[in-house]
Amino acid sequence: TELFEQFEKRFLLLDSLIFTTDTTPTKSNITTDSTIYNSTSIDSIQTKIDSLIERKINAQKLALKHETGLNITGQAYFRLDDNLSIDEEDAVSRYGAKIQADLRWHFLNSAVLHRKGRLNEIDLQGEIERKNFERTNISLLVEKQKELFRIKNDSLLSSILKHRIYNLTLLNNGQQYLLENGNITTDDILAILNEKAEAERLLASLIDTVAPTRNLYKPTGVIVDIDTAKLMEYIRQYNANLSILDLESQLLEQKQQNNSYWTTLNVSPYIRYSYYFRDDLPNSANVDLGLSFIIPLSGETNKQRKTMTTELKILEIEKSQLSQQILDNIKLILLDIERMNRASKSELSRMQEIKKYIQTRTTAYHNGIGEYNFVSRMKEYNIYLLCWEKFLSFQYQRDCHIANLQSYLPNISILEFCIETEI
């Protein structure tokens, strides 16, 4: 019948795809179509940010260096005492209006005091800002790479799914034929319909941009081993989150050094010029040289320094906890990578066993040995396709875990710590 011919044609096609070795193998490894290790666009953005932060730091330093502490103040006023007949000054001291200006030097509030420390504050704040941008950019880079891995995986997986769905459609037609002839129950049909619906739902969720693959011989995957000791040591030294906490501690220590009792004093030498307008005598002027001061009597500075000491201890504990948390997370990721490696090897081995089984059964069918069953034979091919799907899934999950490791590494590729071995 026509249905049996469709089965036979399908078997011939699948055999040619599974047992023909002169086609290009379908690859599934982390270096294929990968940009996480070629972050030109992200580096370009980071370079622009670094340049802007550098300009900001230079502007802040220049502004600090121009803090001379010099101020000119002035006042002008008119006396009403004479008009109100309450002026008690003698005729020589009496004046009707006065203009006064003085030049003061608040040297304790100028760039003279703690100049080096305040400049260091600006540098540390700029470096913290740069590290925060760097951390954000790395996160964006990782998400971008995982999306590329997903697109690649969807393309490969959808190609395999199309073959299995086509097989399930033929299986359903075959089961319907057997049902009509009273050879099976509806339970078999329901199982196939459920499997087909699940496969179609999965296919609908994927990025479907390619036709079914012309190669089912063997996927080319890799096992990825991580140099754990080297990776852990690098992360301890250069992880962005830990570096930011280090910088915040340095900034707090610098602020503590800059925050002294002298910064609360207001001692200002000054020179003052005064001009008096008088009605009965000639106008006069005088110049005064003096020193003004304000001495706070509170213990505010000491309390602030003690507060900063406590904050430093909190940051130290926070860094210790974060370091342990990061290392624990990395250990879990490494365990997942190892688990996906083992699962990939196991699934590929299973795939080869099923392939040999299909080859043996195909030879037996051609030689007329044993009972020939179209439905059972199609199910055997679908088991082989399911192995393909699982293998691709394991490789994809492993690659995403490796991309997650990249989020802990600034300015270096995770591939520096990876050793790939083709399965």
Side-chain angles (χ1 to χ4, degrees), residues 29-32 37 222-225 415 418-422:
N29 60 300
I30 62 175
T31 54
T32 304
Y37 318 113
V222 294
I223 298 299
V224 181
D225 295 310
L415 276 185
C418 296
I419 301 173
E420 290 186 39
T421 305
E422 188 171 326

Side-chain angles (χ1 to χ4, degrees), residues 87-147:
D87 194 344
E88 298 180 355
E89 293 186 358
D90 58 58
V92 175
S93 303
R94 190 178 302 143
Y95 61 89
K98 176 183 177 181
I99 296 177
Q100 182 175 287
D102 59 74
L103 175 65
R104 293 174 182 263
W105 184 29
H106 302 277
F107 65 91
L108 294 180
N109 296 323
S110 70
V112 173
L113 189 66
H114 298 307
R115 179 187 179 115
K116 185 177 179 181
R118 291 169 68 187
L119 290 173
N120 190 39
E121 268 191 49
I122 294 173
D123 284 329
L124 289 171
Q125 288 171 340
E127 185 63 16
I128 289 173
E129 192 172 354
R130 191 187 69 80
K131 286 286 185 182
N132 278 317
F133 276 111
E134 181 183 273
R135 179 173 57 181
T136 301
N137 285 336
I138 290 174
S139 297
L140 293 173
L141 180 65
V142 170
E143 292 304 315
K144 178 182 178 182
Q145 179 58 46
K146 288 166 74 172
E147 177 63 17

Side-chain angles (χ1 to χ4, degrees), residues 264-277:
T264 63
L265 293 176
N266 190 339
V267 180
S268 306
Y270 67 87
I271 182 170
R272 177 183 297 156
Y273 173 80
S274 302
Y275 189 85
Y276 300 88
F277 296 91

Side-chain angles (χ1 to χ4, degrees), residues 370-420:
E371 182 181 355
Y372 188 83
N373 187 318
F374 284 97
V375 172
S376 296
R377 188 178 178 189
M378 185 62 77
K379 288 181 178 179
E380 293 163 5
Y381 285 106
N382 270 4
I383 291 174
Y384 180 77
L385 293 175
L386 279 169
C387 289
W388 258 88
E389 293 172 26
K390 289 182 179 179
F391 178 82
L392 293 176
S393 175
F394 293 146
Q395 293 278 289
Y396 167 64
Q397 292 179 60
R398 191 272 320 282
D399 292 349
C400 287
H401 288 314
I402 292 175
N404 286 333
L405 286 179
Q406 182 67 55
S407 63
Y408 295 97
L409 299 171
N411 304 325
I412 190 172
S413 165
I414 184 61
L415 276 185
E416 296 292 327
F417 308 91
C418 296
I419 301 173
E420 290 186 39

Side-chain angles (χ1 to χ4, degrees), residues 30-31 33-44 141 144-145 148 406 412-415:
I30 62 175
T31 54
D33 301 325
S34 173
T35 62
I36 191 169
Y37 318 113
N38 183 22
S39 52
T40 304
S41 60
I42 298 297
D43 287 344
S44 175
L141 180 65
K144 178 182 178 182
Q145 179 58 46
L148 291 175
Q406 182 67 55
I412 190 172
S413 165
I414 184 61
L415 276 185

Side-chain angles (χ1 to χ4, degrees), residues 16-181:
S16 68
L17 298 179
I18 293 174
F19 299 109
T20 301
T21 61
D22 59 351
T23 55
T24 303
T26 304
K27 292 186 176 293
S28 175
N29 60 300
I30 62 175
T31 54
T32 304
D33 301 325
S34 173
T35 62
I36 191 169
Y37 318 113
N38 183 22
S39 52
T40 304
S41 60
I42 298 297
D43 287 344
S44 175
I45 295 173
Q46 187 64 44
T47 300
K48 292 179 181 179
I49 291 172
D50 290 347
S51 175
L52 291 173
I53 291 176
E54 187 66 25
R55 287 170 57 185
K56 176 183 174 182
I57 290 174
N58 290 336
Q60 289 176 329
K61 286 183 174 181
L62 187 61
L64 174 63
K65 292 174 181 178
H66 281 77
E67 290 181 6
T68 61
L70 292 172
N71 289 294
I72 295 178
T73 61
Q75 54 186 334
Y77 50 90
F78 180 76
R79 298 187 68 176
L80 301 176
D81 307 54
D82 186 43
N83 294 332
L84 298 175
S85 300
I86 58 175
D87 194 344
E88 298 180 355
E89 293 186 358
D90 58 58
V92 175
S93 303
R94 190 178 302 143
Y95 61 89
K98 176 183 177 181
I99 296 177
Q100 182 175 287
D102 59 74
L103 175 65
R104 293 174 182 263
W105 184 29
H106 302 277
F107 65 91
L108 294 180
N109 296 323
S110 70
V112 173
L113 189 66
H114 298 307
R115 179 187 179 115
K116 185 177 179 181
R118 291 169 68 187
L119 290 173
N120 190 39
E121 268 191 49
I122 294 173
D123 284 329
L124 289 171
Q125 288 171 340
E127 185 63 16
I128 289 173
E129 192 172 354
R130 191 187 69 80
K131 286 286 185 182
N132 278 317
F133 276 111
E134 181 183 273
R135 179 173 57 181
T136 301
N137 285 336
I138 290 174
S139 297
L140 293 173
L141 180 65
V142 170
E143 292 304 315
K144 178 182 178 182
Q145 179 58 46
K146 288 166 74 172
E147 177 63 17
L148 291 175
F149 281 148
R150 187 179 73 85
I151 292 172
K152 177 186 173 185
N153 176 74
D154 286 1
S155 177
L156 295 171
L157 187 56
S158 65
S159 177
I160 304 299
L161 274 170
K162 289 175 183 178
H163 281 295
R164 187 158 68 90
I165 290 172
Y166 189 91
N167 291 350
L168 288 169
T169 301
L170 275 181
L171 269 176
N172 181 53
N173 294 339
Q175 295 288 59
Q176 292 286 352
Y177 174 83
L178 294 175
L179 178 64
E180 292 171 1
N181 288 273

Side-chain angles (χ1 to χ4, degrees), residues 66 69 110 131 142 154 189 206 223 234 253 297 313 320 331 342 378 419:
H66 281 77
S110 70
K131 286 286 185 182
V142 170
D154 286 1
I189 295 178
L206 305 178
I223 298 299
Y234 190 91
E253 287 176 351
L297 300 179
K313 292 179 180 179
S320 177
K331 287 177 182 177
R342 291 197 305 268
M378 185 62 77
I419 301 173

Side-chain angles (χ1 to χ4, degrees), residues 198-237:
E198 288 293 331
E200 288 173 339
R201 276 195 290 269
L202 178 57
L203 180 62
S205 69
L206 305 178
I207 299 175
D208 182 15
T209 58
V210 295
T213 180
R214 303 303 300 174
N215 169 29
L216 294 173
Y217 177 70
K218 176 180 175 289
T220 301
V222 294
I223 298 299
V224 181
D225 295 310
I226 309 292
D227 189 337
T228 306
K230 182 180 176 183
L231 175 65
M232 293 290 198
E233 182 60 28
Y234 190 91
I235 288 174
R236 286 191 188 96
Q237 293 186 32

